[in-house]
Structures are given as C-alpha cells and as structure tokens.
Amino acid sequence: FKALEKALNRIPNYTGVQNSRISEFFAENVFDIKKMKQYLSEDAYESVIQAIDEGIKIDRKISDQVASGMKTWAIERGATHYTHWFQPLTGETAEKHDSFFKLSGDGSALEVFSGSNLVQQEPDASSFPSGGIRNTFEARGYTAWDPSSPAFIVENTLCIPTIFVSYTGEALDYKTPLLRSISNIDKTATEVCKYFDKNVTKVHTTLGCEQEYFLVDVALYQVRPDLILSGRTLMGHTSAKDQQLEDHYFGSIPERVLNYMKDFETECYKLGIPVITRHNEVAPNQFECAPMFEETNIAVDHNQLLMDIMKKVAHRHNFEVLLHEKPYKGVNGSGKHNNWSLRTNTGKNLLSSGKTPKTNLQFLTFLINIVKAVHDHADLLRASISSAGNEHRLGANEAPPAIISIFLGAQLNAILNEIESRVTDTKMKTEDKTELKLDIGRIPEILLDNTDRNRTSPFAFTGNRFEFRAVGSSANVSAPMLTLNTVVANQLNLFKKEVDELVETKGLKTDEAILKVLRKYIIDSKKIRYEGNGYSDDWKEEALKRGLTNVTEAVDSFKAFISESTIALFEENNVLTKRELEARYEIKLETFVKKIQIESRVFGDLATNHIIPIAIRYQNLLIENIKGLKECFPNDWESFAKTQLENIKEISLHISSVQRMVDEMIEARKKANREDHIEEKASIYSKEVKPYLENIRYHIDKLELIVDDEIWPLPKYRELLFVR
C-alpha cells in the first residue's frame, strides 16, 4: 500500500485532449487519401486508388513513386524508421523497425525508402505460430503491402499494414484470409444486388467494434502475479459490494479514468481511429469505447491498434488495461460486440429497409440469407470466437450463451412468418406478388427504432446491422469476421443459383423465384431464431429440442475448423485451404494448452508459496493465542477459545485440500505434457487440469475470509475493483 500511495502521488494533473477541435488534428498521422493526393504524382495516386477500389496490382515503378511520397511525408512528421505492421496468428500485432538512414559509397548519410521496401519484406517466420506449415529451422516468410489500409506513424516509426505469408504462399496471419473473404462477399453480394439495382458495382462489409475493458491501478497489478502472467485473477473472494446495485453502469466517469480516456482518444484521433463513445460498463472498473462504422479491413486494423494504444497510454496514468474476457470472478466479463453490415457503392445499407417493395425485398433477401448462413454454420461461427478466456465468459450472466441463435425482433419475425404462411410452393397468385398483399411494401422505414435489443443473443439484428455479441474482448476480430463474410458469401452464391434455376427452368419471374427461395430458407433456418432470454435454462432445454448444439468447451468447439463441410466451404470460396485450416486448428489447440498450462503453474506457485504459508502463519498466531488463554483461564479457556479452535480446524481442512489438489493438478499436467498429440494434450488440459483451478480456488477464497487481512498476501477484490 505504500507503493500504491507513492504511485498515486506520481499521477500527473493531465487534462488529456488538445485545446483544438478534434477535426483539426484527426488522422494527422495517417497517410490517407488526402495526403496521397498532396504527396504523390497523379499517376501514382490513381494507381493506389485503383488498387484500393479494384484490387489491381500496383506497378513496381509506381510503387517507387508511392514510397518516395510516403517517405517525404513521414520524415516531415518526424519519422526516422519504417516497419511492416502485420497480424500473425499470435493474435497480437508484429513489427520490425528499419531506419530510413543509409550510408552512401562516399560515407555520406541519406534517407532511403524504395518501392521494394514498401511492397515486400522478409521477416523471420520461424518463431510465429504456423501450425506445422513452417518448421522451426525454416525462417523465411514474406510481408506484402496492403494498400487498402493506410500507412500511419506511431511515435517516430512509419507503420505499413501488410499481409504475412509463408515461403510457400500459405497465410500465416489474420489479414490475408480476411481480405480474401472481403473480396468474395463483394463479388457474390454485388451479383445478388443486380436483381434490384443494376447500378451496384461493389459491396463492402462495414464493422464497428465496441471494446470493453477493465482498468486496475498499476501498483495493485504489480503485486498480483496471476494478473501479470495470466491476465486474470485466479483467486479472490467476491467483494461485499461489486455490481449488484448497478450504480457503475453509465455512471459518472471517475476523473482519473476520464483523463486517461481523453488521452488515449487523442492518440486514436491522430491515427484516424474514429472513437465516438465512452462510458462506464456494468462491473466496477469496467469501461467501454466504440468507434464509428468503417470498412471491415480498416476497422480490424484500427481495433488492433486501439488495444495497443490503450495499453501504452494507461502507463502514463499508472493504470494497467485488462482485456481478458473474465479478469474477475462473479462480475461481468468483457466482450467485443461486432456490429456488421453490408453497404453498396451507391450508398445503400443492405440491412436497412427501403421505401418501395423492391428495396424492401432486397432488404429481406439479404436478411434471410444471413439467417440461413448462420443457421448452417453455427458451429463454425462458435469456433471462430472460442478461446480459453472467452470460455469463462460465454453463458455467464452478462454474455451470450454458447448456443448460437439469432434475434430479429417481433416485427421482423412476424414478417418472416407471413412470408412462410402465404407464399406457396407453386407459382404465386396475383394477390401474393411483391407489390401487393405480402406486407413487404409496408416494412416501416423506422425499423432501426422499432426492434428492441436482446443482449442475451449472440447474434442479434439491431435495426440496420447484425451485432455479433459473442466475440471476446481480447480477440483479433479478423477470425469471426472472415468466417461471417465467408458463410454469407457462400450462402448468397447458393441463393443466386437457386433463383436463376427457377427463372430459367420453371419460367418464374425473378421476384416470384426470389420469394419462393426465401420462403424455403425461412422454414429451413427457423429453429435458430429465438426471441427470449438466452441466459435462461429454459432456452437450453428448448435449444436441445430444436437440435441446436451447445458446445461449452473451447477445445471441442475448435473441431469445427477441420470438419469436411468447413474445409469445402473455405476452399470453394478461396479463403483458406485445407492445410491452412488444419494449421489454425492446431494453433488454437496449442494456444489453449499454453494458456491453461501457464494458469496452472502460476496458481500452483501462488497456492504453495504464498497462500499456504500465510494461512499457517495465521494458524500459529491462533495457536499462540490459545496457549495464552490457557495460562490466563486454566479452567474455562475452551469457552473463550471456541472461535479460534474452529478457525484452526477450518484452516487445516482448507490447507490440506489445497495442497492435495495442487499435487493432483501437477500430476495431471505432467500426464498432459507427456502426450505428443496436440488433440489429446488439449483434451487432458481441458477436462483434467482446468477443473482444478476452480476447485482449488474455492478453498483459497474461503481462507481469504478467515486469515487476518493485515497479512493476506494479495490485494483483494474490494481494492482491485474500485478506482481511487
């Protein structure tokens, strides 16, 4: 606590944001389109725009011009180095800095940055997760410039967003398959849009990531080895007061936290990250920020950058940011709600209803196809958000359950039920056509406001977008987004084939064929639509009756990555190959094993070297107290020492239980580590090692309530959860 007091005295009186308007410095450290126009030749500028809009490769001569302009701008902003900024399968970002500085033949200094430096580099690939794609002795991997995501400057380094692939061409990152999925859904969605609007030539997905996080004082963080090494508290009894009064949610932001928020928001604005929302979340010390919607690739890059900025800026304010999905037991965990939609080059949001029957039919076409895609690939979507951390959160009282379901709202459900009941399997009657009696022409324009939100649903329609709420707070959102893009693109492709076949072979008009196919999809996917409380046990029973899966163990959910249907899906859509999927499956298992292995090692150390010795020390104090009572009251000391005796007995029971289970946990870990096959190793860690973490914790948390607070070795929840 002396360390805490010292840290608090060091906190600067920081006001955070510059006095100027945000619009005056927004994206000042981003080489965006405006700056490209200023620093590039007309040919170079047009080539980059064409590469962004159409995916056309930039000529090497042009890339030299782009590199020259980018270098000039970066050096003017104070940059001395450059790096290819990429997203390996660690889930974090990676970078290797190189200086612009070079020596010429005569020994004079130059700033050099060529097109080849911009377009491609060769970082060491041996130490990044590859799932067997690369051997540890094979180091070569390539990063390649992604012109669709603008370069930016962090401190004095020009950061160039890139993909990361192996020497043999397989994706070793998140961005490569994400870009493939974005290209794929653009193609299929554009083809479907042409049923309704011939002017549509491009469709892009949009994304807004709501980021939840906890703050903890750095002094308290530094004396919690479990927080430092695993990201969560492996032990700790609940505080008498935490979130039960719901007084933190949307409450007044503590001044110290607000100063931190202003600071990191300023850094975000400089990097073009459009953060527009900040507020207290449900649990004490839990907060949220959210940006405006952006094109998905940029939104993903910005979210990765945001998490990095949050951590760095937190240190200026003597905070640590906790992005673990469940850092504290008994209070809400943290998610990352992914708000996803589709937008055309004509400015139309495909998940917004329109003013005419045709635009409303277009809206229903995309809505129903998305529902069908999620229905058909629910297990794969569940796998895309699975992790050791998110396993603690899913199904808890603040997060969606492990059962994938869709919430549409009463009105949309009624419309879909109307289509199901009134569109026949044969040729439509005149009164049933789109422009007449089907109610399609009467979908309210204010659909955004007349659909309630269901925060218990993992995949909810919220007015003009779907909110994938089940994603974990620490996740790289590329994984769920590339999965969602792929399943929807695949479904739209199947839909178009079915509609075209009905038009060509059955002689139906296009609108008739569309409605006939949509009705079939409504029936086929009806079981995944659920409007009730996803937290309830009744839903678990109902989901079981409907045949929906409830995969509660992360290790079990990962198997969806290597199912025959998944491999066919990704290969047919040119997003991931069988080998790349198998690699990702192996990496998921390896990461899970390492996370639980670290937690069990930390927990065993804390239990054996911190908790048990302190419990014994307190027990000895009680024993000495009893000896003193015997001397003072030789005849009736037992009546005076009743509480002490009970505590001694209870402490002994808890100590013996902790030591026994720690020993058993170590043996289970040894058993798992002897396994060479990663699937079996992960299964043992999940089913045999992991349960000990909760069982041992029960006894330690009981000891926390008995042992003298003055000698308890770790800060308690009542200190960790409240900012001062």
Side-chain angles (χ1 to χ4, degrees):
F1 287 100
K2 288 182 179 178
L4 172 59
E5 184 178 4
K6 189 175 180 181
L8 288 171
N9 290 334
R10 289 200 310 269
I11 294 172
N13 184 18
Y14 186 77
T15 56
V17 180
Q18 303 176 8
N19 291 326
S20 57
R21 296 177 181 177
I22 294 171
S23 58
E24 294 176 1
F25 62 91
F26 183 77
E28 68 179 20
N29 288 336
V30 182
F31 194 63
D32 53 19
I33 290 175
K34 182 179 177 182
K35 298 183 186 71
M36 286 182 201
K37 204 161 191 175
Q38 180 181 352
Y39 284 87
L40 302 183
S41 68
E42 187 173 339
D43 287 345
Y45 173 78
E46 292 298 333
S47 293
V48 175
I49 297 302
Q50 202 171 25
I52 294 171
D53 291 341
E54 302 174 28
I56 296 174
K57 188 176 181 180
I58 296 175
D59 183 81
R60 184 60 65 127
K61 290 181 180 179
I62 295 294
S63 66
D64 283 332
Q65 295 180 36
V66 176
S68 178
M70 193 181 290
K71 181 197 71 174
T72 301
W73 168 77
I75 290 175
E76 287 178 3
R77 298 291 304 168
T80 58
H81 290 68
Y82 65 92
T83 183
H84 277 199
W85 184 82
F86 57 101
Q87 300 170 33
L89 295 173
T90 57
E92 305 289 332
T93 58
E95 52 198 63
K96 176 177 72 76
H97 297 195
D98 288 300
S99 175
F100 289 126
F101 167 78
K102 293 290 184 292
L103 285 176
S104 64
D106 60 3
S108 58
L110 299 170
E111 272 77 30
V112 176
F113 183 59
S114 66
S116 59
N117 297 139
L118 168 65
V119 171
Q120 182 177 305
Q121 283 197 332
E122 187 183 322
D124 188 336
S126 62
S127 296
F128 290 110
S130 71
I133 287 178
R134 307 295 290 147
N135 293 310
T136 55
F137 60 85
E138 295 174 319
R140 184 164 288 173
Y142 296 108
T143 51
W145 176 36
D146 171 20
S148 64
S149 185
F152 54 91
I153 295 173
V154 174
E155 295 178 348
N156 66 343
T157 302
L158 172 66
C159 301
I160 303 156
T162 63
I163 64 171
F164 179 45
V165 296
S166 72
Y167 176 70
T168 48
E170 287 97 351
L172 294 175
D173 66 342
Y174 285 103
K175 183 183 274 279
T176 300
L178 176 67
L179 291 174
R180 293 170 184 166
S181 75
I182 289 170
S183 175
N184 203 28
I185 199 169
D186 170 23
K187 180 181 177 181
T188 57
T190 298
E191 288 298 310
V192 172
C193 278
K194 290 189 182 297
Y195 286 139
F196 311 99
D197 185 355
K198 300 294 184 184
N199 294 317
V200 174
T201 58
K202 186 176 182 62
V203 174
H204 62 267
T205 58
T206 61
L207 178 64
C209 301
E210 303 171 25
Q211 179 71 58
E212 294 177 336
Y213 61 97
F214 281 84
L215 291 175
V216 62
D217 191 277
V218 69
L220 298 175
Y221 174 85
Q222 288 174 347
V223 289
R224 288 288 309 217
D226 49 354
L227 274 180
I228 294 172
L229 298 176
S230 73
R232 73 183 184 102
T233 53
L234 298 172
M235 58 189 71
H237 199 279
T238 55
S239 173
K241 178 187 182 299
D242 44 55
Q243 69 184 50
Q244 65 266 51
L245 296 179
E246 299 177 335
D247 52 345
H248 188 258
Y249 190 51
F250 276 40
S252 176
I253 301 172
E255 183 178 3
R256 183 181 168 199
V257 175
L258 185 58
N259 286 337
Y260 160 69
M261 289 177 169
K262 291 175 181 178
D263 196 358
F264 91 72
E265 285 173 358
T266 298
E267 298 300 326
C268 287
Y269 294 144
K270 291 177 182 178
L271 290 167
I273 305 173
V275 179
I276 58 172
T277 300
R278 63 184 180 221
H279 64 83
N280 292 1
E281 256 300 334
V282 176
N285 265 24
Q286 187 186 32
F287 308 93
E288 180 182 298
C289 63
M292 292 176 63
F293 286 74
E294 301 179 277
E295 190 276 320
T296 298
N297 180 39
I298 295 174
V300 169
D301 284 358
H302 279 171
N303 184 253
Q304 288 296 112
L305 191 54
L306 169 75
M307 291 190 287
D308 192 41
I309 293 169
M310 289 171 67
K311 293 174 185 177
K312 289 179 179 177
V313 174
H315 296 159
R316 301 178 195 170
H317 298 261
N318 292 306
F319 281 130
E320 287 288 344
V321 173
L322 304 180
L323 292 174
H324 193 285
E325 285 72 21
K326 198 76 171 179
Y328 301 107
K329 183 181 178 182
V331 299
N332 281 17
S334 296
K336 181 145 50 191
H337 306 155
N338 283 230
N339 296 279
W340 177 91
S341 190
L342 296 157
R343 183 171 291 275
T344 70
N345 62 294
T346 60
K348 171 69 176 175
N349 182 342
L350 295 174
L351 292 180
S352 290
S353 60
K355 298 179 180 179
T356 67
K358 186 175 283 276
T359 53
N360 277 329
L361 181 57
Q362 177 179 261
F363 160 70
L364 287 172
T365 294
F366 282 92
L367 180 89
I368 293 166
N369 271 282
I370 291 167
V371 172
K372 181 69 161 59
V374 174
H375 169 273
D376 291 353
H377 302 283
D379 286 348
L380 178 58
L381 287 165
R382 169 71 174 87
S384 75
I385 51 91
S386 294
S387 68
N390 215 19
E391 192 176 53
H392 293 285
R393 170 179 164 267
L394 292 179
N397 66 347
E398 85 288 353
I403 305 164
I404 297 294
S405 65
I406 292 179
F407 169 83
L408 294 179
Q411 187 175 46
L412 277 178
N413 262 303
I415 291 169
L416 266 57
N417 291 337
E418 178 78 4
I419 296 172
E420 178 186 348
S421 64
R422 296 187 62 183
V423 180
T424 64
D425 288 328
T426 58
K427 190 170 181 178
M428 291 173 61
K429 299 176 183 178
T430 302
E431 63 267 21
D432 285 331
K433 289 189 179 179
T434 311
E435 64 270 28
L436 296 175
K437 302 273 184 142
L438 207 55
D439 287 335
I440 292 174
R442 298 202 298 272
I443 297 176
E445 294 175 48
I446 56 167
L447 196 59
L448 180 65
D449 298 317
N450 62 35
T451 298
D452 197 4
R453 296 182 66 196
N454 187 333
R455 63 194 305 273
T456 73
S457 174
F459 200 83
F461 184 73
T462 56
N464 60 358
R465 63 193 183 276
F466 276 99
E467 185 180 19
F468 197 0
R469 293 181 55 86
V471 183
S473 55
S474 66
N476 183 315
V477 296
S478 289
M481 289 303 100
L482 74 89
T483 304
L484 181 57
N485 287 347
T486 302
V487 300
V488 172
N490 184 73
Q491 178 54 45
L492 291 172
N493 191 43
L494 295 174
F495 168 76
K496 189 172 188 306
K497 288 179 180 178
E498 288 192 60
V499 170
D500 289 349
E501 184 178 355
L502 286 176
V503 172
E504 293 169 8
T505 63
K506 301 293 184 180
L508 297 182
K509 291 182 178 179
T510 301
D511 282 2
E512 294 175 332
I514 288 172
L515 280 167
K516 186 177 178 66
V517 175
L518 291 181
R519 177 181 185 269
K520 180 164 75 76
Y521 290 169
I522 290 169
I523 295 170
D524 291 346
S525 62
K526 192 171 185 177
K527 67 182 181 182
I528 206 167
R529 287 158 41 201
Y530 182 65
E531 302 298 297
N533 181 5
Y535 298 159
S536 68
D537 290 334
D538 290 342
W539 168 229
K540 293 177 184 177
E541 295 175 9
E542 172 66 20
L544 182 64
K545 292 177 184 177
R546 294 187 185 189
L548 299 178
T549 56
N550 183 11
V551 187
T552 57
E553 297 285 334
V555 167
D556 295 333
S557 75
F558 296 153
K559 294 175 183 176
F561 284 118
I562 55 169
S563 70
E564 290 184 10
S565 61
T566 296
I567 293 169
L569 169 76
F570 279 105
E571 289 198 326
E572 289 170 9
N573 288 277
N574 299 313
V575 175
L576 287 165
T577 65
K578 179 180 180 181
R579 190 180 184 199
E580 288 170 331
L581 283 164
E582 289 172 343
R584 277 161 167 73
Y585 172 62
E586 185 171 323
I587 290 168
K588 282 277 191 179
L589 292 173
E590 287 176 346
T591 302
F592 180 89
V593 165
K594 290 172 182 176
K595 294 274 189 182
I596 304 303
Q597 186 181 69
I598 290 169
E599 288 187 355
S600 65
R601 285 174 173 170
V602 172
F603 202 16
D605 171 61
L606 284 174
T608 303
N609 298 317
H610 294 70
I611 304 303
I612 289 178
I614 289 297
I616 291 173
R617 186 194 304 178
Y618 182 64
Q619 194 177 48
N620 288 336
L621 290 175
L622 294 177
I623 291 170
E624 289 300 316
N625 177 261
I626 291 173
K627 288 179 179 178
L629 289 173
K630 279 185 176 181
E631 291 178 7
C632 294
F633 308 101
N635 296 324
D636 54 358
W637 67 271
E638 288 187 70
S639 62
F640 294 125
K642 182 179 180 182
T643 299
Q644 293 91 319
L645 288 168
E646 289 175 352
N647 283 343
I648 289 170
K649 182 179 180 181
E650 191 172 354
I651 289 170
S652 294
L653 291 172
H654 288 307
I655 287 174
S656 61
S657 295
V658 169
Q659 189 60 67
R660 173 180 56 80
M661 285 192 283
V662 166
D663 292 341
E664 291 172 357
M665 180 178 68
I666 292 171
E667 289 305 311
R669 198 169 67 229
K670 288 179 179 178
K671 175 184 174 183
N673 293 339
R674 286 193 293 268
E675 284 290 338
D676 293 327
H677 199 279
I678 189 60
E679 284 184 323
E680 185 60 30
K681 180 179 287 189
S683 178
I684 296 172
Y685 265 102
S686 178
K687 293 175 172 56
E688 298 185 33
V689 177
K690 187 181 65 174
Y692 280 110
L693 299 176
E694 192 61 32
N695 294 336
I696 296 170
R697 177 179 189 148
Y698 169 81
H699 293 282
I700 291 177
D701 289 355
K702 290 295 184 182
L703 284 171
E704 183 183 313
L705 296 177
I706 302 170
V707 174
D708 186 352
D709 181 70
E710 188 174 346
I711 65 172
W712 188 253
L714 303 173
K716 298 182 178 180
Y717 272 24
R718 65 170 180 257
E719 288 105 30
L720 296 168
L721 279 170
F722 295 93
V723 171
R724 295 173 180 84

